[in-house]
Amino acid sequence: MRRGKLMLTSFLRGGDFQSPFSETSTENRRHVKNPSLIDPTMRRIWMLVLACISVTLASPSSGAEVDARLSSGQAYVNDSIDLQITIEDAETYEPPKIPTVDGLTIESAGVPRRSSQTTIINGRMSSRQSVTLVYEITPTRPGTFEIPPMEVSVDGRLVKTSPLGFVASVSETGDLMLVEIVGKQDRVYVGEPLELTLKIWVRPYRDETLDRLLSEGEMWQMLSDRTSWGPFEPAMTDMAQQRKRPGGENVVRKTPEGESKGYYLYEIDTTIYPNKPGKIDASNVLIAMNYPLELRIEKRRSMFDEAFGGQFGSPFGDRFDSAMSSRLVVAATRPIAATAEVDQTQVVPIPREGRPASFQGAVGRYEMIAKTDLRRVSAGDPITLQLGVSGDGPLDSVQAPPLDHLREKFRIDGQPLAGFIQNGVKYFTTTIRPIDETVDSIPSIEMSFFDPKTETFETIQTEPIAIKVEEAERLAMDSIVGPEDRSESTTSSDEPLAVSSPSSLQDWSPFRWLLANESGPVVLQNQQRGSLKGIVWLVYGLPLVIGLIATLVRHRGHLPLMFQRLRPAKQFAANQLGDVSTPNEIPAILQTYVQRSFGLRPDVDWHRCLGVLRSHGYSDKAAELESLAHRCHNTATTTINENDQRRSLIDDAQQWLETIAAAQSNNRFVFKRRQASSHELGSALGTVRRSVAPMALFALASWNLMPNLWAATSVVLLDEAQQATVLNEADQAYHAASQWKSQGDVGRARTSYLDAAKRYQMLIDSGIDNGAIHKNLGNVYFQVDQLGRSVAHYRIAQTFTPWDVRNQANLIIAQARLGLGFRHWFMPLAWLVVGGLLWWLGWWRLAGSRKDSGRRWWLSALMLVVSIGCCIVTLDQVEPRSGLAISVVDTLELRGGDGESFGVVNELAGVEGRSFVIGQQRGDWCLIEGTTSQSGWARRDDLVPI
């Protein structure tokens, strides 16, 4: 440094200072006749260059720095402050070991925060990088605490932080906030509705310096996330969904000392049903708030400062500029919390004296009705009995009335009745079977409840239901019975009809085999939608794979590196580590392992690989890998014990490889392939465009139409027992209709078919969605010649079970009976079978033509070309399309708008069973998108969505 200063001083003075680094020796100077003839300007330039080099070589290199600090020196019990450890300009680092301090809970606040800063001063660029580790410190008791020094490993050396101290105190709530729960009744029974009101009094905060009083809305925003609402949680959730909050009212309340003070009063109402006697339990209600201590005016740069650098201000004046570039913020807070005090509302038990045997715990006043689906049956036939209970009490707690007295004349389903609530009525459904023909009615069913207003037990009962039971001629008690008269009249057929078992319907006729419905538990199980894509690629790709494998086996001696890369990532990396000759090769091998094991592209750089490790929860492994790479780089520049150090680094790399592989195998999550540009702006905008934008546009277009759409959708809530009962009835109706049809009674067969369709549709409306039930419904509509609906449900079933041969055959038959053009036929499985056979046969003939030159190779090529065309058609038909619907009418009227008031713009004839793309839905109308002549609004009832 001193030598450089002397050179610089000599240059500034214009002297003839001779640098010791100059290559001009005494011998060379002898050839210069007159040294004074050398250009003094050139001499000064060389002197300046040498001075800069000397100063640069003499200046010491800067090392990494570690700084630890607390976010505040004052803390409150159970409220956290931040400990920040900042590491600057470090190549590698290891997180410190956090000490254990009595009375403190210290936890990591997440992944480290990284930042970089680049500055250019007088054309000289410098950059600084820093990593900040954040920890949350929560005191559990008051007192003075000290965090001892912590050791941080930075670039291979240990750096100690300074000790840090702070004081924790208890934040007294005092009279700043009061909480009370008030019941509107002084005395209620268990199960009786009780209306409660949560009252929160909060002292408004006034900043004397700024002379600013916070409003009731601003004080409400200070509520903490630690708040627990208890039984008022549903009310708060409803408010949040409606973007509302309790309104604060200015009130005056006396403190316990008798002083009157102003408060903001917030009230929240709810209704509960106490389930045990005693006092109302409000232990789970805790209101927490970050009460303000100081306000501050925070200035921010306005748009004019950003545009003009803050030199000209706002063109609208200083007052406008001040209002637009400043805001009021809460500078300091302290936590306060208050538990709720409950008034003297008492919950008393229901009296035991005078309880009827039919009492099941219902409190309130109720009404009950009973109805059946049949009035005329044969002995042993199932009768669906449904009970409906309504009243002013809690329907959730109402249990099914006892039915034991019915066992004298009926066989009752032994499964418990769960019940479901719909439109303010709770329904219980079960199946009963009359034992013999002597049964003439369903007796009254009793239900008892306790009326809290009169404090007495009351019993209600249904009216007896008259039925007619006939003797079963060929019916076993446990067999499934057939045609029933679904009307409530007592008249029926002249004689009962016994239905054959389902197996008897499966005779030699292929047509009956195709239209046989599925039955059993599989029909009641939801199913994921399937696709033929995998089978398509298997059928068409397997011959190519077989040929490729044969080629690789034949030329396996020429592809050793390819077979090595086919090994698992860990084995491939371990083999490469065994062949390492210099330490510089180790980081690249481990980088390749990270790329392969996490599904990254080969061009992903080193820093992105470290980021992927940290994002998957391997921050410690990323730090170890970074430290190992740094040591490999430093070792490569030395020659001391090179072989020993290389061996040690290889051992460390293999150990890191073992630990990261073990950690990955224990992780339950499967790491999917991530694109290297997933965090870039283009990918983010693409994701928004594909997901958020369509949802937002749909919500904006149908905001006012949602009530109409929901009103047109009928949702039936059925439990598992009820679903099984409805399925059994649907199967019985279908088999009975088939029997009626075989005997020539077309009218009864059609009625029974439609009854089966209604029950299958009821199961679909209850949430069951699978290929079997839609195929059953398609078979029903096929039997009654509603071929458009049949095609629709066959195609829906195709989306669940695309490999179902019977469903595909039924769909082809239905489309053919409709007279649809061949180009409108939907038969991906048929295309796949034809194309697959031609594809395999073509390759087989082509492979044989190499041995037999007499074969016609052009026939094989023609087969392959035709099979490729079949593959294209198959992929086009199996590709899922959104907004697809099938027309169920032969003539589809298209109007100019969504209503009868708009004129008919076009009539599409002969379109039953054809598919259309639906763009929008408005109430009972939907927009068909297509060509100009095939666009318009059609009725939703004329279309069935796929």
Side-chain angles (χ1 to χ4, degrees), residues 414-626:
Q415 298 182 357
L417 305 183
F420 63 95
I421 300 175
Q422 186 176 8
N423 298 328
V425 181
K426 188 167 188 178
Y427 294 99
F428 301 94
T429 305
T430 188
T431 301
I432 60 177
R433 298 171 184 264
I435 294 177
D436 51 38
E437 63 276 8
T438 61
V439 179
D440 58 357
S441 65
I442 301 175
S444 300
I445 300 173
E446 294 184 351
M447 173 186 172
S448 298
F449 55 84
F450 179 77
D451 188 353
K453 296 181 180 179
T454 61
E455 299 185 353
T456 58
F457 292 96
E458 296 187 20
T459 301
I460 58 175
Q461 59 184 7
T462 62
E463 295 290 335
I465 302 176
I467 62 174
K468 185 175 182 180
V469 181
E470 300 177 350
E471 182 181 1
E473 295 180 358
R474 293 177 290 164
L475 179 64
M477 291 301 296
D478 295 330
S479 64
I480 300 176
V481 295
E484 306 109 1
D485 186 0
R486 300 288 169 175
S487 65
E488 296 193 356
S489 65
T490 59
T491 61
S492 183
S493 62
D494 296 336
E495 58 182 22
L497 176 65
V499 180
S500 304
S501 62
S503 60
S504 66
L505 298 178
Q506 312 299 333
D507 54 11
W508 57 269
S509 173
F511 193 71
R512 288 196 174 183
W513 175 79
L514 290 173
L515 294 178
N517 274 4
E518 301 286 347
S519 61
V522 66
V523 184
L524 299 178
Q525 297 177 359
N526 284 333
Q527 185 179 11
Q528 297 290 335
R529 296 192 179 244
S531 176
L532 283 176
K533 279 188 175 181
I535 302 178
V536 171
W537 295 121
L538 178 64
V539 170
Y540 282 85
L542 192 56
L544 302 179
V545 172
I546 293 175
L548 179 62
I549 293 176
T551 304
L552 292 177
V553 171
R554 185 178 303 172
H555 302 283
R556 59 184 178 275
H558 303 284
L559 303 171
L561 181 60
M562 175 180 291
F563 285 107
Q564 288 185 14
R565 285 193 170 273
L566 292 178
R567 297 177 180 178
K570 176 186 173 184
Q571 184 179 358
F572 181 73
N575 293 341
Q576 285 192 318
L577 288 175
D579 300 334
V580 167
S581 58
T582 60
N584 278 337
E585 301 175 10
I586 296 177
I589 295 174
L590 299 182
Q591 179 181 354
T592 303
Y593 168 78
V594 174
Q595 293 170 349
R596 294 186 59 186
S597 62
F598 287 91
L600 304 177
R601 295 190 309 186
D603 58 348
V604 174
D605 58 11
W606 171 261
H607 296 288
R608 183 64 60 84
C609 290
L610 294 177
V612 169
L613 285 174
R614 295 187 179 96
S615 65
H616 283 76
Y618 302 117
S619 300
D620 53 343
K621 302 303 177 185
E624 293 175 5
L625 180 60
E626 196 172 6

Side-chain angles (χ1 to χ4, degrees), residues 658-713:
E658 292 289 341
T659 56
I660 187 65
Q664 285 181 277
S665 63
N666 294 332
N667 196 342
R668 294 182 180 178
F669 297 98
V670 179
F671 294 99
K672 298 181 179 179
R673 180 178 181 85
R674 295 188 177 183
Q675 299 295 337
S677 61
S678 61
H679 300 290
E680 297 178 359
L681 180 60
S683 177
L685 292 177
T687 303
V688 171
R689 183 181 67 252
R690 291 189 300 268
S691 59
V692 179
M695 294 173 61
L697 291 176
F698 176 78
L700 183 62
S702 60
W703 179 261
N704 295 324
L705 305 171
M706 289 304 295
N708 295 331
L709 293 178
W710 282 107
T713 303

Side-chain angles (χ1 to χ4, degrees), residues 830-848:
W831 287 114
L832 176 60
V833 171
V834 174
L837 289 176
L838 292 176
W839 181 256
W840 280 79
L841 185 60
W843 280 110
W844 177 74
R845 289 181 57 86
L846 196 61

